[in-house]
Amino acid sequence: MSEDFYEVLGVSRDASEDEIKQAYRKKAAEYHPDVSDDPNAEEKFKQVKKAKEVLTDEEQRRAYDQMGHERFEQAEKRGGFDGGAGGAGGGPFGGGAGGDPFGGGAGGMGDIFEQFFGGGGGGGGRGGARQGADLRTSLTITMEEAYQGVTKQLNITRPEQCPDCDGSGHPPSADSETCPQCNGRGQETTVRQTPLGRVQQTRTCSRCEGEGTLYDETCSTCGGEGVTREDASLEVEIPGGIDSGQTLRMEREGAPGEGGGPNGDLLVEIQVEDHPEFDRDGADLHYTLPVSFPQAVFGDTVEIPTLDGKVEMDLDAGVQSGETRRLRGKGMPRLQRRGQGDLLVHVQVVTPQNLNEEQREALEAFAEASDEDLSVDQSFFEKIKSSF
């Protein structure tokens, strides 16, 4: 692994602070000792954390760019920097030892955790009460289940508040001191001289990450993250009439909050499987009905499948292929509204083929009587049987 901080994080030298933090979160998730199989994971984890601390501090980044990696490290060892980057060798309270290695108390191993810490910047630490992030997942159901409504079991892995440190990131026995960089305020102010005058900027303290306090120990269970990943089994109530792409919100089943804040929500996106007989269009269903030649000529009463059992429908004599019949109220329930959609039955007359001699003569006689010139095959009735 390269020592250069930009190469450690995989970013360009002109990367923005947000790009650096985003790259850090991905690398931290990759090398977190609790989830990585890399034998050097712990050392690499410390290295990406150090790179993030230096490159997100404006003054230290400027010094790093001017001096280069080796001279910067030498100056730091001599005590030339008092910011968050000095943590690796600066005594028991150096460099945010109790800080959140994922930049803001969020966790992220696996797809669902990307959303937990993917939204935003890592600016605030654990200084105030904040609601946890919303998590997203998906669930696939059949069209019959979407019609009736169903309760499904959903198994996910999600971040939970660490049981050993109660989400603080450090053991209860850890010694603490007020952060000397921000004097316990959790924020630091910088003043810059610009062509337009002096500009004052306030931001989250880079050393204590907004907590205002430094600790000499990090929780060994969560690695200072404040959360662990746990398996959870939840019951999801799916209402009848739901469609693909619609989302159910399960309140307080998302990521844990910070500083006593409430959990986020779990958003479950529903996918409805295609049906072998029906095509869906909102609350309406479409069904193609194969009809034999005699049925089309003479009319008939036929059975039509629905998602609620079979119903009978009358076919008028002389029905044409492509005509549509509407069975009202035989479609899908209307979500959050009364009533149901319709079932649209599309008639498809089956053309006779492979007729035997007797059938051929009968149809030729029909064509002659109709003054039409028809050429017909054999096995008409077998074609009719196969169409059903």
Side-chain angles (χ1 to χ4, degrees), residues 259-334:
N263 287 5
D265 299 335
L266 176 63
L267 306 178
V268 184
E269 182 177 327
I270 300 299
Q271 297 296 327
V272 181
E273 293 177 343
D274 292 336
H275 196 278
E277 293 185 285
F278 304 110
D279 291 322
R280 183 174 180 178
D281 180 16
D284 292 336
L285 296 175
H286 295 262
Y287 171 73
T288 299
L289 173 68
V291 173
S292 70
F293 183 70
Q295 286 177 308
V297 172
F298 299 113
D300 197 3
T301 297
V302 295
E303 283 191 338
I304 305 297
T306 75
L307 290 173
D308 195 30
K310 294 183 177 181
V311 297
E312 289 188 344
M313 185 185 80
D314 292 331
L315 281 177
D316 298 331
V319 67
Q320 299 296 304
S321 190
E323 291 187 17
T324 299
R325 301 290 186 268
R326 182 181 293 270
L327 300 182
R328 297 195 177 278
K330 296 300 180 182
M332 298 293 291
R334 300 185 188 278

Side-chain angles (χ1 to χ4, degrees), residues 27-353:
K27 292 289 187 181
E30 180 181 355
Y31 294 122
H32 194 283
D34 289 344
V35 297
S36 178
D37 295 329
D38 192 316
N40 299 316
E42 185 173 357
E43 185 61 34
K44 292 180 178 180
F45 181 79
K46 292 179 181 178
Q47 200 169 6
V48 297
K49 186 175 188 295
K50 176 76 173 294
K52 173 255 187 184
E53 290 172 339
V54 171
L55 298 184
T56 56
D57 183 287
E58 184 177 345
E59 294 181 3
Q60 293 189 77
R61 181 176 181 179
R62 186 185 304 114
Y64 184 81
D65 290 342
Q66 293 173 349
M67 301 171 67
H69 183 85
E70 186 174 350
R71 289 180 59 200
F72 181 89
E73 292 275 81
Q74 291 173 353
E76 186 185 35
K77 289 178 182 179
R78 291 195 301 267
F81 298 99
D82 192 31
F93 297 105
D100 186 343
F102 281 112
M109 291 74 79
D111 291 337
I112 199 167
F113 302 110
E114 266 305 310
Q115 300 160 56
F116 180 43
F117 58 71
R126 298 193 195 93
R130 292 186 298 180
Q131 180 171 323
D134 291 342
L135 305 179
R136 284 186 174 271
T137 188
S138 62
L139 184 62
T140 301
I141 61 175
T142 66
M143 191 174 291
E144 286 82 0
E145 290 172 331
Y147 176 82
Q148 298 167 356
V150 66
T151 299
K152 300 286 283 187
Q153 202 77 14
L154 176 65
N155 298 314
I156 62 171
T157 301
R158 63 181 178 182
E160 302 276 5
Q161 180 175 285
C162 177
D164 291 342
C165 68
D166 293 327
S168 67
H170 54 82
S173 59
D175 292 331
S176 64
E177 73 169 3
T178 299
C179 176
Q181 186 158 315
C182 66
N183 294 320
R185 294 189 301 270
Q187 294 181 326
E188 53 188 335
T189 301
T190 57
V191 178
R192 291 187 300 160
Q193 187 69 38
T194 73
L196 299 178
R198 290 164 59 86
V199 176
Q200 180 173 300
Q201 182 181 18
T202 300
R203 62 180 181 179
T204 301
C205 177
S206 59
R207 185 165 184 180
C208 67
E209 297 185 347
E211 195 165 348
T213 305
L214 299 177
Y215 299 89
D216 67 344
E217 290 184 69
T218 296
C219 176
S220 60
T221 301
C222 64
E225 185 182 351
V227 294
T228 57
R229 61 171 187 171
E230 304 292 340
D231 294 331
S233 182
L234 308 172
E235 284 192 349
V236 185
E237 298 286 344
I238 301 175
I242 198 164
D243 203 351
S244 284
Q246 293 181 319
T247 299
L248 301 176
R249 179 179 292 271
M250 301 182 69
E251 294 186 353
R252 304 295 179 254
E253 295 293 352
E258 298 179 36
N263 287 5
D265 299 335
L266 176 63
L267 306 178
V268 184
E269 182 177 327
I270 300 299
Q271 297 296 327
V272 181
E273 293 177 343
D274 292 336
H275 196 278
E277 293 185 285
F278 304 110
D279 291 322
R280 183 174 180 178
D281 180 16
D284 292 336
L285 296 175
H286 295 262
Y287 171 73
T288 299
L289 173 68
V291 173
S292 70
F293 183 70
Q295 286 177 308
V297 172
F298 299 113
D300 197 3
T301 297
V302 295
E303 283 191 338
I304 305 297
T306 75
L307 290 173
D308 195 30
K310 294 183 177 181
V311 297
E312 289 188 344
M313 185 185 80
D314 292 331
L315 281 177
D316 298 331
V319 67
Q320 299 296 304
S321 190
E323 291 187 17
T324 299
R325 301 290 186 268
R326 182 181 293 270
L327 300 182
R328 297 195 177 278
K330 296 300 180 182
M332 298 293 291
R334 300 185 188 278
L335 191 63
Q336 297 180 339
R337 293 169 52 191
R338 292 184 178 180
Q340 294 184 206
D342 301 331
L343 175 61
L344 284 77
V345 180
H346 304 279
V347 176
Q348 180 177 325
V349 179
V350 179
T351 304
Q353 302 180 37

